[in-house]
Amino acid sequence: MSADPAWTRAGTALALLAVDPAGLGGVALRARPSPVRDRLTEALCALPLPVRRLHPNVADEQLFGGVDLAATLAAGAVVRTTGLLGTPSAFVLPMAERASGGLAARLAQALDDRRGHCLICLDEGAEDDEGLPAALSDRLAFAIDLTGVAMGSAPPLAPDPAAAADARARLTATCVPHEALADLARLAHRLGIASLRAPLLALRAARANAALHDRTVGPDDLMAAVELVFAPRATVLPDASEDAPPPEPPDSDTPDENEGRGEGETLRLPEEILLEAVKAALPPDLLARMAAGRPAKGAHGAGAGAVQKGNRRGRPVPSRAGRLDGGKRIDLIGTLRAAAPWQAARHATSPHRDGLQVRPADIRVKRYQEQSDRLLIFVVDASGSAAMARLGEAKGAVELLLAEAYARRDHVALVAFRGTGADLVLPPTRSLVQTKRRLAALPGGGGTPLAAGLRMALDLSETARKRGMTPTAVLLTDGRANIALDGRADRAAAAEDAATLARLLRGRGVPAMVIDMGNRPERALATLAQALDAPYIPLPRADARRLSSAVSAALEA
Amino acid sequence: MTHPFPFSAIVGQDEMKTAMVLTAIDPRIGGVLVFGDRGTGKSTAVRALAALLPPIRAVEGCPVNSERLEDCPPWAVVGSTRIVTKPTPVVDLPLGVTEDRVVGALDIERALTRGEKAFEPGLLARANRGYLYIDEVNLLEDHIVDLLLDVAQSGENVVEREGLSIRHPARFVLVGSGNPEEGELRPQLLDRFGLSVEVGSPKDIDQRIEVVRRRDAYETDTPKFLRRWKGEDTKLRNRIVAARKTVQVLKTPEAALHDCARLCVALGSDGLRGELTLLRAARALAAYEGAEAVERRHIRRIAPSALRHRLRRDPLDEAGSTVRVGRVVDEVLG
């Protein structure tokens, strides 16, 4: 059985990495734990660097070094440790998709400092939108996707450290024709790769490949490089009809590195051939992704889950025994209290030391408990049409939801839109009494400025986010928007504005739900819900209780 | 640590380079925010700037880089009285840094091993009289941002914790960089940055090729590349030093003040920091270009950098803030 193309590429990437580990940065390997992945990681021993594993929650102290508290306390003098980043190594980072922005920034900085590190990120993301933090994927030359590679089509790799070492010695002497450089930059541009690191990394890959074969950089090296470096980064498939850039006059002082390829052939490798190489290696779902209008994988650096920011620094909870590292704060009193009863005994065992004798086991670290609160933003249509129909029921439903929100300690805000604009009837609060009072006094009547209501919800959710709350918008309306954002009574413009704002809300990642409280389900509202990426709950003839249970169900889902 | 990429060898990105040079001429402009795509040379420029800046004179061993002996904070144990020259400090503030490391904290080692109550200075102390660089500033945790806001405003770091009561000067130029797609910056912090620039990948293919060529030359043979650019860097450094002198005596005509104020009113920027920064930046630019007085062209050139981050955000205005500033500049300055 022949080898899978992805596996072949992985093999090439690894061979190149063995030649120039620091220059190429490393590999982003997308694969769940599997024998195939193990087979690849075993081959990492060919790298000329010690292989070390990091974990996504590695502490600063382990990375950068610091005071070794245990040794310090034992010796009575300061003992320092060197961090992992102190010696050039090949770091293997499993579960890289869960690495936080902070860790990514530190590792990126370590790679930028050119201290000879190399990073192998094992991206175990299951979903498409999980991926490496972009700060890392941009700096790693290769990205290999081993999903779906069967063990049978992944023959064992036979890394050759000796050959790699020879190639490394030749690396700086390997010359690159000027045209190759221009070709790479131009091709990256045509493939929609904005980052300038890509052509640089491709250049280094080409050079490593040439050094491996002991030749000057030629067409084959460039092909291998673009296949490995550009294909995973491409965001645009160049149009075949697009004119190729005008051929440049051949440079007279270029060294001849034709290597016996056709006599009549020009030195410059046509970009089209390179382009074909990239196309062959493009991820199969690229077109689908582009059609969906979504950026390439990992562009948002998600996968680590939304960061929960507490809106309080956290309630202090009792301190407990723990190791002190850069990320924790010591509870001094607790530590002293833990050490105190032992002083007599410790003085007896080591009488030559004066003062307080603190052992590592005494260290107590402070703990905080952080909570992130949910904010339910009710956007209620109080226009004439809605008031006629169901404003009373909507109020009742909101009241029931409020009671539930109160039980869950959620915050609630109320936006009402009627006439020509929206009012913030109730700023985010937990006060049930106040909410009920304001809600009961909510008047109805006038036009339906749906867009204005959504706009206020957007502003409110942004503010709430900054205060560390997680906003959810609940829109109750009969959906007949007829007032545009600027206050004009123009049905078409109103619908347009509402759709724009819905897209904005979705873009900001505010979860929402749309409750149709009209007498008949309104088609425009279903479309709006789609634009919001929100569940659409049509509730003709529903009472307050059914409305409330529908919302609760949608919230729990 | 290898020698950073030379500042003058950075291709294009003129707005970013100018902004950084201006803060080197007049630190009171108050920092630069660089927002842009990945791989556009943001970090490279900051690190290059550090190498470019003229050295400062400071007391040997002083944790806050004091210029004179009597400025050394009382808590610091400065063994030496010698004044030495050292490079302008550029301190990196990594994401996820703890509060203790930023402001300083009780020196745990000394407390535990020798039973002494001593202060271990943090990053803010080290950044005094220099630069504080925050990569991915928009991802910084809120409580660290709050700390920075306070210190950047007052120029002094006050530590009241764990039985310590200590203050020390912390005047630094804040340089932040980030990718706006990954999160926005709170308006309070935005306002603290004097200038903000937006960088993008160069669209011009020849420029892109040149970037790749220079970077490759730098990485292949660093010493040779540094020698090649040393002259340019020195020239730029001399220009900065000269401009620092001229900016003190530069004339500011009434018309320039008027222009600044009218621009800020037309743009509806909050507070008066906009005017002040615009004026300072224009003065620094005039000094850098060797002019004798601030002219309208200086204001016009620096207005986008000084004002674009001070506009009220309008989620519906599709045009970026750069375009909005440009529109207003054309209207007001004609």
Side-chain angles (χ1 to χ4, degrees), chain A residues 421-438:
Chain A
D423 291 316
L424 180 58
V425 180
L426 186 75
T429 180
R430 272 182 176 164
S431 158
L432 198 59
V433 183
Q434 208 189 5
T435 317
K436 279 187 173 168
R437 198 177 299 143
R438 300 260 182 116

Side-chain angles (χ1 to χ4, degrees), chain A residues 353-417:
Chain A
R353 279 179 62 183
D354 321 324
L356 200 60
Q357 294 195 20
V358 182
R359 301 271 161 89
D362 300 330
I363 300 290
R364 296 288 181 273
V365 289
K366 284 185 180 168
R367 291 191 303 153
Y368 294 95
Q369 195 170 50
E370 283 190 312
Q371 292 176 347
S372 174
D373 298 345
R374 181 154 60 182
L375 171 65
L376 283 179
I377 305 171
F378 289 99
V379 187
V380 181
D381 183 351
S383 66
S385 60
M388 290 293 284
R390 322 279 287 278
L391 189 57
E393 279 156 26
K395 281 183 183 176
V398 172
E399 259 184 51
L400 280 173
L401 284 169
L402 280 175
E404 270 178 43
Y406 182 74
R408 280 194 306 256
R409 312 293 293 157
D410 286 345
H411 292 250
V412 170
L414 187 61
V415 174
F417 55 96

Side-chain angles (χ1 to χ4, degrees), chain A residues 256-294:
Chain A
D256 190 72
E257 66 340 289
N258 240 357
E259 292 191 322
R261 293 169 66 92
E263 299 84 352
E265 210 174 25
T266 52
L267 293 180
R268 238 167 57 75
L269 182 77
E271 252 176 79
E272 299 311 316
I273 297 182
L274 286 181
L275 197 56
E276 286 309 312
V278 174
K279 274 186 186 162
L282 279 181
D285 57 338
L286 179 74
L287 278 176
R289 277 212 310 268
M290 283 192 294
R294 272 194 298 147

